[in-house]
Amino acid sequence: QVQLVESGGGSVQAGGSLRLSCAASGYRYSRACMGWFRQAPGKEREGVASICSGGVPNYADSVKGRFTISQDNADNTLYLQMNSLKPEDTSMYYCAAKGTGGIWRPTLTRYDYIFWGQGTQVTVSS
């Protein structure tokens, strides 16, 4: 049974930083495409960053240069380092993983991912 558990969300002032973590279990982590998504109230869930094991990451234009996605195979954890946070980054952030038959590219389309965590809230105040 695949489980993705996010942590690290919180409240921060604009310009601050947070690091989100996603602990994965029951998943073939050594060869995985995983991503971070976010959803604000009343808005669609959007892709933020994604990566396939050992590959080049993909970022949404809105976070390029500020966010960094990384994987730690030793402890099966996906990270999202978020710097220079802005109020518009306020959202629930979700970790997601593709199935083994998924497209082996770091896509930012939510429908490419079949496993999801419960989310962690990030609030950025101005």
Side-chain angles (χ1 to χ4, degrees):
Q1 180 180 356
V2 176
Q3 262 199 320
L4 303 175
V5 180
E6 303 96 334
S7 61
S11 296
V12 64
Q13 288 194 322
S17 298
L18 284 173
R19 189 174 83 152
L20 305 183
S21 300
C22 172
S25 61
Y27 188 65
R28 192 181 174 191
Y29 194 83
S30 59
R31 179 176 168 82
C33 283
M34 301 185 72
W36 288 97
F37 291 75
R38 66 187 181 187
Q39 187 169 18
K43 293 190 175 181
E44 292 290 317
R45 189 169 298 189
E46 62 175 356
V48 175
S50 62
I51 189 169
C52 296
S53 302
V56 176
N58 186 21
Y59 296 96
D61 289 341
S62 59
V63 307
K64 278 181 183 175
R66 299 188 299 122
F67 291 10
T68 303
I69 188 172
S70 61
Q71 291 173 303
D72 186 333
N73 291 335
D75 61 3
N76 287 359
T77 303
L78 182 74
Y79 297 99
L80 184 69
Q81 177 66 44
M82 305 187 295
N83 299 328
S84 302
L85 282 161
K86 304 175 180 180
E88 51 264 44
D89 294 319
T90 295
S91 275
M92 184 71 80
Y93 283 72
Y94 298 90
C95 171
K98 294 188 180 185
T100 54
I103 300 170
W104 189 251
R105 277 190 289 109
T107 58
L108 295 177
T109 303
R110 60 178 290 190
Y111 301 107
D112 291 341
Y113 295 78
I114 62 171
F115 302 112
W116 292 85
Q118 293 301 305
T120 185
Q121 177 67 37
V122 171
T123 302
V124 184
S125 57
S126 57

